[in-house]
Amino acid sequence: MTTNSEWLQRYSDSVLGVFGTPPIVLDHGDGCYVWDVDGRRYLDLVGGIAVNALGHGHPALVAAVSKQVAEAVHISNLFTSPGQIRLAERLLEVAGAPDGSRVFFGNSGAEAMEAAIKLARRTCRTGIVAAEHAFHGRTTGALALTHKAAYREPFEPLLPGVVHVPYDDVEALREAVDETTSAVVLEPVQGEAGVIAPSIDFLQQAREITTAAGALLIIDEIQTGIGRTGRWFGFQHAGIVPDAITIAKGLGGGVPIGAMITFGPEVSRLLTAGQHGTTFGGNPLAAAAGLAVLDTIEQDGLLAHAQRMGRHLAETVDAAHIPHVTGVRGQGLLRAIVFDAPISAGVAVAARNAGVIINPVAPEAIRLAPPLVIQAEQLDDFVAALPDFVKEATSA
């Protein structure tokens, strides 16, 4: 049997090194657990970075994808399929989109953002306002909206006209938006920045500011959407209607898919025939996966479950009074445990060595985005072991 270390050598010899060398080679999963090629089990509290909404090997997703593979995997967008149409209808329904709204299907979050940028350009304005510490993707258009200098600088000059303002700063946003602004692009929770949730009225104020200026409000739901925060989409906590949202990650439950929803007829008419396209977007396989995920979340009450489990995690961590842990932030099952020192990388290594996968998203925070089917007992096992992970990280 080929060992983990042997696989990783082959990885280094064959795969472009943009991700560095991964620590382990995963072989299969079941529910909220995954196993590496050496047969070791891990509790998966990252969920493919908020992708595996139903966990691993969920019967509904397996059945839907298996059935679709036997019928048609791909047909191209020269045609459509019943599944693509049904998925578009379901997305409009769960988003609460008004009549005249539409869906564009792509293959990833970055591709959804590229569609949103082109949508904004169709306003005949060129300015875009994004937030400091935002992450919107790695393709060159989405990268222009992403704030981190290390991601941006090797590829400059990027798309011009993008400015970044402090997140959750209403006055800074108001000052930045004017008659040249095509769109304001915001995450309802900044996941890659360390799971930063804004004040309750930030998105409401952003809606008012963009409406007054005649600019679009585009909400990046790539990480926060599909039940991750305990609602179908993060913007729904604020009770607003955006002009467009971008979706990916959890929608396919692991099958690659992205989407942009335009809200209302006026915005939906901005992109017309021939102005955008994709070969694979919304193909029958991805559509079948998306429908299975949405149906399962609804039938199994996973929105409410995500809210309960998120609260349970935060309350359990707080009650444990773990040294160096200062709190838990986030919404639903998108959470960060925050430390008083830059120990997150060490905590993540200690956890992985003990069979738990977490993400050191920032030097002083670990991110948890487990499958929406996670149970309280599994979260309790993690919290019970967390003091040991912290102790190992701080004593190294």
Side-chain angles (χ1 to χ4, degrees):
M1 183 181 72
T2 306
T3 65
N4 192 78
S5 59
E6 290 169 335
W7 277 117
L8 289 177
Q9 182 59 57
R10 291 169 62 176
Y11 177 96
S12 297
D13 292 341
S14 59
V15 179
L16 191 67
V18 294
F19 299 106
T21 301
I24 52 177
V25 181
L26 297 180
D27 180 70
H28 66 282
D30 182 23
C32 294
Y33 296 95
V34 290
W35 283 259
D36 67 19
V37 292
D38 291 337
R40 188 174 186 195
R41 190 183 80 164
Y42 303 82
L43 177 62
D44 181 7
L45 297 181
V46 177
I49 314 180
V51 169
N52 300 105
L54 304 183
H56 303 274
H58 193 285
L61 184 57
V62 170
V65 170
S66 299
K67 179 177 183 294
Q68 192 59 57
V69 164
E71 296 174 355
V73 171
H74 177 73
I75 58 174
S76 91
N77 280 300
L78 294 173
F79 310 96
T80 188
S81 67
Q84 184 185 77
I85 297 167
R86 285 196 294 267
L87 182 57
E89 291 171 341
R90 285 284 283 133
L91 284 172
L92 293 175
E93 176 188 351
V94 300
D99 290 344
S101 302
R102 296 291 185 267
V103 179
F104 169 81
F105 287 113
N107 311 289
S108 66
E111 189 172 341
M113 284 307 307
E114 295 293 333
I117 292 170
K118 291 179 75 172
L119 181 80
R121 280 296 184 93
R122 288 290 294 143
T123 65
C124 299
R125 301 179 180 187
T126 57
I128 298 177
V129 178
E132 293 178 1
H133 308 295
F135 182 86
H136 297 291
R138 305 278 195 133
T139 51
T140 54
L143 186 59
L145 275 61
T146 295
H147 185 252
K148 190 173 182 178
Y151 295 161
R152 296 164 50 87
E153 289 176 353
F155 306 101
E156 292 176 339
L158 297 169
L159 184 76
V162 178
V163 297
H164 291 89
V165 300
Y167 188 61
D168 198 20
D169 187 329
V170 172
E171 292 310 312
L173 182 62
R174 193 185 312 278
E175 186 174 338
V177 175
D178 59 24
E179 68 279 357
T180 69
T181 304
S182 66
V184 171
V185 182
L186 297 169
E187 299 159 275
V189 177
Q190 288 192 322
E192 295 295 322
V195 191
I196 308 298
S199 55
I200 191 66
D201 67 339
F202 178 60
L203 293 185
Q204 296 170 352
Q205 293 294 317
R207 175 70 284 179
E208 293 181 10
I209 291 167
T210 50
T211 298
L216 303 181
L217 178 61
I218 298 172
I219 304 297
D220 181 343
E221 295 277 2
I222 292 165
Q223 188 165 161
T224 52
I226 316 301
R228 177 56 49 188
T229 67
R231 301 288 296 271
W232 283 112
F233 298 104
F235 78 84
Q236 292 171 330
H237 292 281
I240 63 167
V241 178
D243 294 299
I245 64 174
T246 55
I247 315 166
K249 289 190 179 290
L251 178 57
V255 175
I257 188 171
M260 175 182 69
I261 299 179
T262 54
F263 285 66
E266 185 176 351
V267 177
S268 299
R269 286 194 291 264
L270 289 175
L271 284 173
T272 58
Q275 292 185 337
H276 198 46
T278 177
T279 297
F280 295 102
N283 69 28
L285 183 68
L291 284 166
V293 169
L294 295 180
D295 289 347
T296 302
I297 289 174
E298 183 174 64
Q299 292 165 10
D300 292 358
L302 294 182
L303 298 181
H305 182 74
Q307 293 182 35
R308 289 194 302 271
M309 291 301 99
R311 287 194 301 268
H312 178 81
L313 173 67
E315 291 168 358
T316 305
V317 171
D318 288 343
H321 301 293
I322 301 169
H324 300 289
V325 172
T326 62
V328 180
R329 63 192 181 211
Q331 293 177 333
L333 281 172
L334 180 59
R335 297 282 176 163
I337 297 176
V338 185
F339 306 112
D340 62 7
I343 60 172
S344 66
V347 172
V349 170
R352 187 173 67 245
N353 290 339
V356 180
I357 296 176
I358 54 180
N359 173 230
V361 68
E364 297 177 353
I366 56 171
R367 174 175 49 179
L368 307 179
L372 302 183
V373 296
I374 194 85
Q375 297 300 309
E377 295 80 4
Q378 294 166 319
L379 294 172
D380 291 346
D381 288 344
F382 161 68
V383 175
L386 183 57
D388 290 337
F389 306 155
V390 172
K391 183 177 181 180
E392 184 173 335
T394 54
S395 61

